[in-house]
């Protein structure tokens, strides 16, 4: 496996700039997730790593070798696509074998690698089937198996689970995490789903408008967002962010703070007039082990509070909201953390 260094990467489509001075270090064996909203540049960045898109300025190194202008086949990477990209007329075995045949691997090596990939991905019973005879999850496993047999230095995943239903996505997330540990591989994974990013990544790269907004471990980004964008993108439900002049009581704020934030689970519900603000419960969503309270704050604005599933607070109740020390986030007028 291999580390990756991306240095001041810029990418244009005509007059439109898609990537702005992207600089990243990805360690050998890391599972890194590129996350952000549609159009933020995450798939473009992945495709530049794969060599499917050229770059205008900047450089890419894989395992210490400059591959900025190298052909995809010369980068020692494997890519798994959202659409599976399997040959429908070939069996599972033939799909997994095709790339090795093209690259001149001998039959014994091909058979050995297919057997090992089939064992890891539990595809042994499906090797003679065609893609049309497989479920979506099985097809995705075949696409991953086709990547594994190449024994690449880096695996690239471009939203590989977005075509699967919710239950299967969770199952495949677990399988991919297990696969990463088995292979001890460098993996880069693109998704717009921040839940996937939080649950799978060693390191998350948050992209916004073609720029790297923040890089860090999932919990670093969750607890220490460096911008309002990251604060509201990472976490579900999103962090509550409202103007600093909402009229909260007895709250010491930085003079630069234009907005303040608190995660839904960090609010403490106290008696009215006892917290930093009073709020009225508009809607209560019972989810079993937890409930979400949608509240209107007396000073203006709406917030969400996450409480225990057995919490007795009902719609129409007026409560006090308290933000515990260390749970308050502050942002300036440009949205940067202060």
């Amino acid at each position: 496996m291999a580390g990756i260094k991306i240095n001041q990467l810029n990418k244009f489509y005509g007059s439109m700039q898609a990537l702005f001075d992207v600089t990243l270090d990805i360690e050998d064996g890391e599972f890194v997730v590129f996350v952000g909203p549609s159009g933020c540049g995450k798939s473009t960045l992945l495709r530049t790593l794969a060599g499917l898109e050229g770059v205008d300025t900047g450089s890419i190194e894989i395992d210490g070798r400059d591959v900025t202008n190298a052909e995809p086949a010369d980068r020692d990477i494997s890519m798994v696509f959202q659409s599976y990209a399997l040959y429908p007329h070939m069996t599972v075995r033939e799909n997994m074998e095709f790339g090795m045949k093209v690259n001149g691997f001998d039959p014994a090596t091909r058979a050995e690698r297919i057997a090992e990939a089939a064992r890891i991905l539990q595809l042994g019973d499906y090797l003679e089937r065609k893609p049309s005879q497989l479920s979506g999850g099985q097809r995705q496993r075949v696409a991953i198996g086709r990547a594994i047999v190449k024994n690449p230095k880096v695996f690239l995943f471009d939203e590989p689970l977005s075509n699967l239903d919710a239950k299967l996505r969770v199952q495949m997330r677990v399988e991919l995490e297990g696969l990463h540990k088995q292979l001890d591989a460098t993996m880069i994974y693109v998704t717009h789903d921040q839940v996937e990013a939080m649950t799978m990544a060693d390191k998350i790269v948050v992209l916004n408008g073609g720029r790297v907004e923040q890089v860090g471990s999932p919990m670093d980004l969750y607890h220490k967002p460096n911008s309002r964008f990251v604060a509201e993108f990472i976490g579900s439900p999103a962090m509550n962010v409202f103007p600093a002049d909402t009229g909260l009581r007895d709250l010491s704020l930085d003079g630069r703070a234009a907005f303040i934030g608190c995660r839904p689970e960090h609010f403490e519900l106290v008696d009215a007039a006892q917290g930093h603000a009073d709020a009225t419960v508009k809607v209560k969503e019972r989810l079993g082990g937890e409930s979400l309270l949608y509240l209107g704050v007396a000073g203006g604005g709406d917030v969400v509070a996450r409480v225990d599933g057995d919490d007795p607070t009902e719609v129409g109740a007026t409560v006090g909201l308290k933000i515990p020390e260390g749970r308050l986030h502050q942002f300036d007028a440009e949205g940067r953390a202060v």
Side-chain angles (χ1 to χ4, degrees):
M1 297 307 124
I4 299 170
K5 289 186 180 295
I6 303 168
N7 187 47
Q8 294 187 310
L9 214 61
N10 289 279
K11 171 68 180 174
F12 290 85
Y13 293 104
S15 61
M16 189 199 79
Q17 189 165 358
L19 297 175
F20 295 80
D21 288 325
V22 174
T23 297
L24 285 172
D25 281 346
I26 296 170
E27 301 297 327
D28 185 7
E30 272 192 317
F31 195 125
V32 176
V33 176
F34 295 167
V35 69
S38 296
C40 71
K42 54 189 184 294
S43 288
T44 300
L45 180 55
L46 192 78
R47 290 173 66 83
T48 63
L49 290 176
L52 301 176
E53 299 275 3
V55 301
D56 292 284
T57 61
S59 63
I60 300 169
E61 290 183 13
I62 297 177
D63 197 20
R65 184 169 67 95
D66 190 327
V67 298
T68 311
N69 299 308
E71 293 296 319
D74 298 328
R75 297 189 180 212
D76 209 357
I77 55 96
S78 279
M79 190 160 178
V80 178
F81 297 91
Q82 175 181 345
S83 61
Y84 317 139
L86 301 176
Y87 296 108
H89 61 288
M90 293 183 181
T91 64
V92 168
R93 183 188 302 279
E94 289 166 342
N95 265 284
M96 293 168 69
E97 189 176 35
F98 182 75
M100 292 189 290
K101 270 188 174 180
V102 169
N103 290 317
F105 286 84
D106 63 83
T109 300
R110 298 200 304 259
E112 181 183 340
R113 291 193 179 185
I114 290 170
E116 177 63 8
R119 181 191 66 78
I120 291 170
L121 296 167
Q122 299 177 13
L123 287 171
D125 294 337
Y126 306 100
L127 289 174
E128 307 312 321
R129 295 190 188 184
K130 301 243 177 109
S132 61
Q133 299 171 296
L134 304 176
S135 69
Q138 289 164 345
R139 290 181 202 178
Q140 194 56 276
R141 282 200 197 94
V142 176
I144 294 168
R146 188 175 52 190
I148 288 174
V149 297
K150 289 177 66 179
N151 195 25
K153 289 182 175 176
V154 179
F155 289 87
L156 306 178
F157 296 90
D158 191 5
E159 302 207 42
L161 309 185
S162 57
N163 286 339
L164 306 179
D165 62 51
K167 183 178 179 181
L168 195 50
R169 275 204 306 274
V170 173
Q171 179 186 332
M172 286 299 295
R173 277 207 313 258
V174 173
E175 291 185 9
L176 278 173
E177 290 177 69
L179 178 64
H180 175 244
K181 288 179 173 60
Q182 283 188 65
L183 299 178
D184 193 25
T186 304
M187 294 184 172
I188 302 175
Y189 186 101
V190 161
T191 182
H192 64 274
D193 184 340
Q194 55 91 22
V195 174
E196 282 186 11
M198 288 292 290
T199 54
M200 298 174 74
D202 298 321
K203 179 191 290 179
I204 295 176
V205 179
V206 182
L207 290 155
N208 179 23
R211 293 177 169 86
V212 174
E213 190 79 20
Q214 189 170 354
V215 180
S217 71
M219 297 314 291
D220 276 347
L221 268 58
Y222 191 77
H223 289 302
K224 300 174 184 176
N226 66 7
S227 69
R228 179 179 175 181
F229 177 85
V230 175
E232 293 184 293
F233 192 83
I234 298 293
S236 181
M239 180 185 288
N240 299 287
V241 177
F242 38 95
D245 60 3
T246 300
L248 302 188
R249 299 182 294 262
D250 304 322
L251 202 58
S252 178
L253 299 180
D254 188 294
R256 297 166 293 170
F259 299 93
I260 57 176
C262 181
R263 294 219 175 266
E265 67 272 22
H266 293 158
F267 279 127
E268 289 182 9
L269 269 60
V270 296
D271 292 337
Q274 298 301 307
H276 294 116
D278 291 337
T280 302
V281 181
K282 294 181 173 181
V283 176
K284 183 174 186 176
E285 286 185 346
R286 292 176 173 86
L287 303 174
E290 64 182 26
S291 293
L292 298 178
L293 303 180
Y294 294 82
L295 306 112
V297 179
D302 296 321
V303 299
V304 182
R306 179 186 275 127
V307 296
D308 186 80
D310 294 321
D311 183 274
T313 309
E314 293 296 342
V315 172
T318 298
V319 299
L321 288 178
K322 183 179 179 182
I323 302 175
E325 187 176 351
R327 298 303 194 182
L328 175 70
H329 298 263
Q330 303 180 62
F331 307 97
D332 64 19
E334 284 72 46
R336 309 310 299 181
V338 297

